[in-house]
């Protein structure tokens, strides 16, 4: 059975981010899907949420997938800069739209918005970016 839109896109995004040299320079291989390990060392990038809506495309099945990418910093003096660089590096990968989503054709990938602020720990920062993808298949 093929992966659904959400899992296929999650795998493709994590794979693309981990393969990028600029992302790796910032976070190494610390790019996660919806589950971040409890002991994950910062900084890291993760997918914060995924929401799927079925749509029609050329009389075939398609899905509109909204998801979030979060760059999380360490609690350092320039934490806001570090989290912002994570978000910028991730966006540089995702805006290329050459991501291979197994079983689907990525028709479009757009950044819907971005917000930056203090993380829940009160010391580190997070830069959260929302994306919308259209997958055919």
């Amino acid at each position: 059975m093929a992966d659904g839109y959400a899992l296929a896109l999650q795998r493709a995004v994590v794979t693309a981010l981990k393969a990028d040299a600029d992302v790796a320079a910032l976070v190494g291989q610390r790019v996660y899907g919806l589950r971040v390990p409890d002991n994950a060392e910062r900084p890291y990038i993760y997918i914060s949420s995924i929401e799927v809506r079925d749509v029609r495309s050329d009389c075939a099945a398609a899905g509109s997938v909204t998801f979030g990418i979060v760059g999380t910093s360490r609690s350092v003096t320039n934490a806001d800069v570090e989290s912002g660089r994570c978000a910028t590096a991730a966006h540089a990968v995702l805006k290329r739209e050459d991501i291979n989503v197994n079983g689907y054709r990525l028709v479009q990938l757009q950044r819907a918005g971005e917000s930056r602020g203090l993380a829940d720990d009160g010391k580190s920062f997070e830069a959260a970016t929302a994306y919308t993808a259209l997958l055919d298949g």
Side-chain angles (χ1 to χ4, degrees), residues 22-53:
D22 291 333
V23 170
L26 292 165
V27 300
Q29 290 295 297
R30 295 183 307 275
V31 178
Y32 305 106
L34 292 171
R35 296 185 57 94
V36 177
D38 290 337
N39 59 349
E41 180 184 330
R42 294 174 186 232
Y44 57 80
I45 295 171
Y46 70 99
I47 297 176
S48 62
S49 63
I50 300 177
E51 184 176 311
V52 177
R53 291 181 181 85

Side-chain angles (χ1 to χ4, degrees), residues 11 21 32 35 63 77 89 100 103 128 132:
R11 286 183 176 167
Y32 305 106
R35 296 185 57 94
T77 304
N100 180 22
T132 300

Side-chain angles (χ1 to χ4, degrees), residues 54-123:
D54 291 332
V55 295
R56 299 287 291 167
S57 173
D58 296 334
C59 300
S64 175
V65 184
T66 302
F67 64 99
I69 296 289
V70 179
T72 303
S73 74
R74 295 170 285 188
S75 57
V76 293
T77 304
N78 64 343
D80 56 332
V81 173
E82 186 174 64
S83 64
R85 286 182 177 152
C86 289
T88 299
H91 181 63
V93 173
L94 298 178
K95 75 179 183 180
R96 291 193 306 246
E97 294 190 14
D98 63 351
I99 297 168
N100 180 22
V101 182
N102 190 30
Y104 302 98
R105 182 172 67 92
L106 178 61
V107 177
Q108 184 179 55
L109 180 61
Q110 292 184 353
R111 179 169 55 180
E114 184 175 299
S115 65
R116 298 180 185 199
L118 199 58
D120 290 340
D121 66 6
K123 298 176 184 175

